[in-house]
Amino acid sequence: MNAIIALCHFCEFHGPSVLFCTQAFHCEAHDPLKGTCTSVLECGACIKRNFTRFGSETPGSESAQESRQSWASTRPSQCEACKSLDHNHAGYISIDHEAHISYYSNRSPEQPELYSVVRQACVRSLSCEVCPGREGPMFFGEESSGYVFTHTFFLKDTQSRGFQRWYSLIAVMKDRIYLVNSWPFLVSHFRELIDELQAKATGVYDAEHAASIQKGQHIQPSANGLFLTPDIFRRQRGGNKTYRGIADLLRDKDLFATLHQRFSWMLKACGNRITEKLLEGPPKEELLTDLEAQLEEDDDQEDTDTEKESDTPEEEDTRGPVFSSLRHILKVLGSQHFHLLAFHVIQGNQVIVRGEKRKTVESVLNCLKVLIPSGCCSCIPYSTKYKDSWQCNFLGLAPGVEIPPHVLSSDLFVLLDIISPRGHVPEGPVADQSRDDEHDFPGYGFVVCGKENATDPTILQKVEEALDNDSLSDAVFDQLLICLKEEWMDKVKVVFKFARSGNSTSEDKEKLLKILGAKSEDEIVLKFWMTGLNKQYRSHLLTCSSAGSTS
């Protein structure tokens, strides 16, 4: 955890002061992702950094020497209670060999710019910010100076006014979210350490109080029994005698070595407790549907091959121009014919493409299929016989194949006839071709037959707006189309679960569509796209719905 943990004290004479702090240092030269070093002993940068931190005569130790000299210059303004380690003490260090992290403890942070941050946190924790009862955890801070978690507490002392001294443990870091999420961990382990310190202080206090009673030197209460003035207190405790340090107060000469161990462990454990991980989202609906379709194809491969052989011409001319994208179809056929094709595709009506060149026919179907989820596509790319809409919604036909009259009389189909240069041109309007399109389809004609029986759905409007935007490249448009389909498949899942959640009124359905940002004309699209839900997800929703209705 990139934080600083410190012990602070409030002195009756000199105010708040930082006694002892611990911070972690990462080896900047070591890349843990490459795994080039297995231990700190093999990493030269780690050895150099740890060596300089102990005060060796190297360029890296200049800042440490300056901080010690600065601390020594302010020593006369401090008493024993405001100090921890001697100014000649190099501090304590622990090394995490696997993570290449060293934990260093001293009187103040190693970097001069961090000293003011820790100092300000110390002052606020002991002077400005107060919690009920004056003992307990608090959180404060701002982005500029960092965020602080602090836990204030008292230690008993027979030589202090009120027979107690005021301390705090603070954790300072820049990441507010991380620090807030670490609150339970820090409260638990700070409280555990404070309980140990208070238990030691109480033991020393009881022993000293008992000894002073035996000698008749214990401090007498005031005449009125209410309070002692500072002057009376100083005379009773021995004139202007300064307060003793916390190590003497607890009679623990190894106190700061113990604090170093505890602070280092807290930094490491708290850092390991909350870590950043790369989470991958669920697979796209089309990917799951394609996997299921692939498994079904493997199971029925023999039947499928037989059907294809019977429906496919034995000899065919595979040469011919092909369509490469939706924009290519729009460019060749024109906006009016493309709009009619796209409308029926998105609505789920049968799309029939009839032509002499099989590759040309298949290219049209393949380009149009990207408008809807793959699970909604049932395609027979090229056949010599008409197939009903329940068998496929994308159908490629050889020239001359008759379409039943009941299909031609309905509004649930669209037919694109591709007329080869020397082929017979059927009756009907032929799509205009621009001069640029002649290079792709020289001499070809296109006839589109179908009716638009409803208002344009929302997703079709968005697709056509994107196609008309020349600033969007083909790659960007492809990604935009993927996002649009995923967005509407999420709406489909909500509608699917809503339809199976129980009895619902038309008003409920209207409210749901409004919440989803859909209109009444989108309802047909949503219902059709339900067929694109993969079987596993559909079964899961049905199971949840039935379990909810049972309960």
Side-chain angles (χ1 to χ4, degrees), residues 1 5 131 135-139 148-153 169-171 178-196 198 262 265-266 270 273-274:
M1 182 173 68
I5 297 180
C131 65
E135 279 191 300
M138 293 183 294
F139 178 87
V148 182
F149 169 82
T150 177
H151 198 303
T152 55
F153 62 98
L169 293 175
I170 63 174
Y178 200 112
L179 189 57
V180 171
N181 289 332
S182 302
W183 176 282
F185 177 88
L186 294 174
V187 167
S188 174
H189 292 88
F190 274 18
R191 186 68 255 178
E192 181 181 353
L193 176 57
I194 290 171
D195 290 341
E196 295 178 7
Q198 288 180 331
R262 299 292 289 272
W265 180 88
M266 289 180 193
C270 193
R273 175 179 170 272
I274 305 178

Side-chain angles (χ1 to χ4, degrees), residues 166-218:
W166 194 12
Y167 293 87
S168 69
L169 293 175
I170 63 174
V172 186
M173 68 183 312
K174 285 286 187 179
D175 194 334
R176 177 178 60 88
I177 301 299
Y178 200 112
L179 189 57
V180 171
N181 289 332
S182 302
W183 176 282
F185 177 88
L186 294 174
V187 167
S188 174
H189 292 88
F190 274 18
R191 186 68 255 178
E192 181 181 353
L193 176 57
I194 290 171
D195 290 341
E196 295 178 7
L197 297 178
Q198 288 180 331
K200 289 183 179 180
T202 302
V204 174
Y205 173 84
D206 293 340
E208 291 180 349
H209 187 64
S212 64
I213 292 177
Q214 291 179 357
K215 297 179 180 179
Q217 297 176 350
H218 63 287

Side-chain angles (χ1 to χ4, degrees), residues 263-322:
F263 290 173
S264 300
W265 180 88
M266 289 180 193
L267 290 173
K268 178 178 175 61
C270 193
N272 293 337
R273 175 179 170 272
I274 305 178
T275 57
E276 294 182 354
K277 295 182 179 179
L278 178 62
L279 299 178
E280 296 184 359
K284 294 187 298 184
E285 192 69 28
E286 292 192 7
L287 177 59
L288 295 175
T289 307
D290 292 342
L291 291 176
E292 289 181 352
Q294 183 63 41
L295 293 176
E296 292 178 358
E297 287 182 6
D298 294 341
D299 294 338
D300 303 332
Q301 187 66 39
E302 295 181 0
D303 298 338
T304 304
D305 293 341
T306 303
E307 183 179 358
K308 286 182 178 180
E309 290 176 1
S310 62
D311 293 340
T312 305
E314 295 182 0
E315 294 182 3
E316 57 186 44
D317 186 3
T318 59
R319 295 174 298 173
V322 296

Side-chain angles (χ1 to χ4, degrees), residues 26-32 34 36-37 43-46 49 100:
H26 299 257
C27 177
E28 298 177 356
H30 175 75
D31 187 356
K34 296 181 180 179
T36 54
C37 302
C43 183
C46 287
R49 185 170 184 83
H100 290 252

